[in-house]
């Protein structure tokens, strides 16, 4: 049985000017027991509104939310947060400034009517889980703690009363880059130990990829695509998902032929036409097709080195083109090259090769499986 079931959720607001705004539109998804499920998208896409609806902080306009098989939200029902069996970690931490770390956790235990004789022991267990036991941290006030320590206190408080579902709203966004990376692994370790179902909100694609079992990508209140990190990266269903989940070259095309698994497409730029054999996963007609190609999936080499035995060898599964490097950006382990194919079409390539230079003539190879045809904007 799914821990969370959201069906046709719509949350509608009336703006200050009197217009009606759908913050979330007809959203459906489910979260399995023990799963870490992430709502991913840009600011204003409806992910936090959805999380607050799961918590009971927002009344929903239409649809239904079930937790643990029980209906907790409809248009005329809203079970209060304290009766939903959830823990919530806020973006701002929301730790009580006049309470010590220990008192913050103890307050949550009392509020959830956790068994009295176990409360003090549970405070220590929760602090230990998040790596804050010892060093008198429990007796410090939030103003005496670092941002990372405050975040850990908020996390400890949320899991202290052993909720069945944990909701986390961009809990790492206020931390610096290196601390965010360390805390991501800490969160994974803790969640693996306590085996709690988690719904996590973030706008950070790298963060979502690192921690998630399943991801729902949102835009303008609508679910764009749901799947594992691997599925979303390898098989995005739209230019938006392709660009939000990493980087992508996206070209408008016309299809000259198509099967259930492949297509021959033509990129037209001005009077230039470039034909490309592509992977195709859709079963329906594409009204406005585009090609999506990841920069690191394009192989680049000097014209002088492209010959027998190189990756430039022509097969029915590869697309090969001549071009000239117009820009080069060094980014440590990777180098980004802009390559002009013909007179009008530029493709971005990410490569480990750093010796190529602007102005050099190159050959590029794009394998069929690395050029994906999807539905473009409608």
């Amino acid at each position: 049985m799914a821990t969370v079931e959201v069906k046709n959720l719509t949350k509608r607001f009336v703006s200050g000017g009197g217009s009606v705004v759908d913050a979330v539109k007809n959203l459906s998804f489910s979260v399995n027991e023990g799963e870490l499920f992430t709502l991913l998208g840009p600011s204003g896409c409806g992910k936090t509104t959805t999380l607050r609806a799961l918590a009971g902080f927002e009344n929903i306009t239409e649809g239904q939310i079930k937790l643990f098989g029980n209906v907790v939200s409809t248009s005329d029902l809203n079970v209060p947060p304290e009766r939903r069996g959830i823990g919530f970690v806020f973006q701002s931490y929301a730790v009580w400034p006049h309470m010590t770390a220990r008192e913050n956790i103890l307050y949550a235990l009392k509020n959830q009517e956790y068994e009295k004789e176990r409360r003090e022991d549970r405070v220590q267990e929760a602090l230990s889980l998040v790596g804050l036991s010892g060093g008198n941290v429990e007796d410090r006030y939030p103003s005496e703690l670092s941002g990372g320590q405050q975040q850990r206190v908020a996390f400890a408080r949320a899991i202290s009363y052993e909720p069945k579902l944990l909701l986390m709203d961009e809990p790492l966004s206020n931390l610096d880059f290196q601390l965010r990376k360390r805390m991501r692994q800490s969160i994974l370790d803790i969640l693996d130990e306590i085996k709690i179902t988690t719904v996590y909100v973030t706008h950070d694609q790298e963060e979502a990829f690192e921690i998630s079992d399943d991801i729902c990508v949102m835009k303008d209140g609508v679910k764009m695509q749901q799947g594992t990190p691997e599925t979303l990266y390898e098989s995005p269903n739209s230019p938006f998902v392709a660009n939000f989940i990493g980087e992508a070259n996206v070209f408008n095309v016309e299809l000259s032929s198509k099967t259930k698994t492949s297509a021959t497409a033509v990129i037209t730029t001005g009077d230039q036409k470039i034909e490309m054999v592509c992977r195709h996963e859709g079963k329906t007609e594409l009204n406005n097709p585009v090609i999506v190609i990841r920069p690191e999936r394009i192989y680049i080499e000097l014209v002088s080195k492209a010959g027998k035995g190189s990756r430039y060898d022509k097969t029915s599964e590869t697309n090969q083109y001549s071009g000239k490097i117009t820009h080069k950006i060094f980014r440590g382990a990777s180098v980004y090259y802009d390559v002009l194919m013909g007179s009008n079409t530029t493709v971005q390539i990410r490569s480990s090769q750093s010796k190529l230079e602007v102005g050099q003539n190159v050959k590029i190879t794009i394998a069929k499986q690395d050029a994906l045809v999807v539905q473009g904007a409608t």
Side-chain angles (χ1 to χ4, degrees):
M1 180 180 68
T3 298
V4 178
E5 296 174 87
V6 175
K7 184 176 181 181
N8 302 326
L9 169 63
T10 295
K11 173 60 182 179
R12 193 167 292 129
F13 293 99
V14 178
S15 70
S19 60
V20 176
V21 177
D22 284 345
V24 182
K25 307 173 189 176
N26 200 33
L27 177 65
S28 297
F29 63 85
S30 62
V31 184
N32 295 324
E33 183 177 0
E35 188 174 58
L36 199 161
F37 181 88
T38 297
L39 297 168
L40 174 67
S43 298
C45 72
K47 55 189 185 295
T48 292
T49 299
T50 301
L51 197 74
R52 290 177 59 83
L54 290 177
F57 298 148
E58 298 282 358
N59 296 320
I60 67 174
T61 308
E62 297 172 9
Q64 182 186 84
I65 298 174
K66 282 186 178 181
L67 300 182
F68 323 109
N70 300 312
V71 177
V72 295
S73 292
T74 64
S75 59
D76 54 7
L77 169 69
N78 189 45
V79 174
E82 62 272 18
R83 290 176 47 202
R84 295 196 177 201
I86 62 167
F88 201 108
V89 180
F90 296 88
Q91 180 177 355
S92 61
Y93 315 141
V95 289
W96 294 103
H98 61 288
M99 295 182 183
T100 64
R102 170 186 165 276
E103 290 168 341
N104 263 277
I105 299 170
L106 192 59
Y107 179 82
L109 291 167
K110 291 177 180 177
N111 192 52
Q112 292 291 322
E113 299 181 352
Y114 196 86
E115 50 187 305
K116 189 174 182 179
E117 61 275 13
R118 279 270 296 139
R119 289 175 188 170
E120 289 294 345
D121 287 341
R122 187 57 187 162
V123 169
Q124 299 306 317
E125 291 168 1
L127 287 170
S128 179
L129 271 172
V130 300
L132 289 180
S133 58
N136 298 319
V137 173
E138 65 184 272
D139 295 322
R140 298 180 191 173
Y141 290 93
S143 61
E144 300 171 314
L145 300 174
S146 68
Q149 288 174 323
Q150 290 183 53
Q151 196 274 343
R152 288 173 185 266
V153 170
F155 194 13
R157 182 180 60 187
I159 63 177
S160 63
Y161 46 88
E162 301 178 270
K164 295 183 288 183
L165 174 65
L166 180 63
L167 307 178
M168 306 184 76
D169 185 12
E170 304 214 42
L172 307 183
S173 61
N174 292 328
L175 305 180
D176 64 63
F177 176 72
Q178 292 299 330
L179 186 53
R180 281 204 309 272
K181 291 177 65 175
R182 293 198 296 272
M183 282 303 303
R184 285 203 293 263
Q185 188 57 55
S186 295
I187 287 173
L188 282 177
D189 292 342
I190 294 166
L191 295 180
D192 185 61
E193 182 173 347
I194 63 179
K195 309 295 184 186
I196 186 172
T197 306
T198 304
V199 179
Y200 193 101
V201 160
T202 184
H203 65 273
D204 188 322
Q205 168 253 319
E206 180 179 314
E207 184 172 297
F209 270 30
E210 185 172 331
I211 67 173
S212 306
D213 297 309
D214 202 21
I215 299 173
C216 174
V217 181
M218 298 181 65
K219 177 189 178 187
D220 298 331
V222 175
K223 179 171 77 172
M224 301 298 291
Q225 189 174 359
Q226 181 179 338
T228 65
E230 293 83 0
T231 297
L232 294 177
Y233 191 81
E234 297 294 341
S235 301
N237 66 359
S238 67
F240 173 80
V241 173
N243 282 301
F244 199 81
I245 305 295
E247 300 168 313
N249 294 284
V250 179
F251 299 104
N252 295 320
V253 297
E254 295 180 359
L255 300 184
S256 59
S257 65
K258 181 173 71 69
T259 70
K260 288 185 178 180
T261 59
S262 66
T264 300
V266 178
I267 304 170
T268 301
T269 308
D271 59 356
Q272 177 182 334
K273 295 183 182 295
I274 298 175
E275 188 173 274
M276 191 173 293
V277 180
C278 310
R279 173 167 57 101
H280 173 59
E281 297 180 343
K283 297 180 181 179
T284 59
E285 292 297 320
L286 299 176
N287 297 321
N288 186 25
V290 299
I291 295 176
V292 173
I293 311 166
R294 297 294 184 190
E296 73 277 9
R297 300 294 174 81
I298 304 174
Y299 184 70
I300 182 173
E301 60 187 335
L302 287 174
V303 172
S304 61
K305 294 185 177 181
K308 188 175 181 180
S310 78
R311 287 181 59 178
Y312 186 67
D313 288 348
K314 177 69 174 177
T315 74
S316 61
E317 299 295 306
T318 61
N319 304 280
Q320 298 154 14
Y321 311 99
S322 299
K324 178 179 286 189
I325 298 174
T326 58
H327 292 90
K328 175 182 178 180
I329 301 175
F330 178 75
R331 293 184 182 172
S334 298
V335 180
Y336 285 76
Y337 298 102
D338 285 348
V339 175
L340 180 64
M341 299 189 300
S343 58
N344 294 302
T345 304
T346 297
V347 62
Q348 185 178 75
I349 302 170
R350 186 165 78 236
S351 173
S352 60
Q353 300 185 64
S354 61
K355 303 301 183 182
L356 303 177
E357 299 297 338
V358 172
Q360 289 183 317
N361 293 319
V362 293
K363 297 290 185 180
I364 64 174
T365 303
I366 304 170
K368 167 188 167 182
Q369 66 268 20
D370 293 327
L372 176 65
V373 176
V374 301
Q375 176 66 51
T378 56

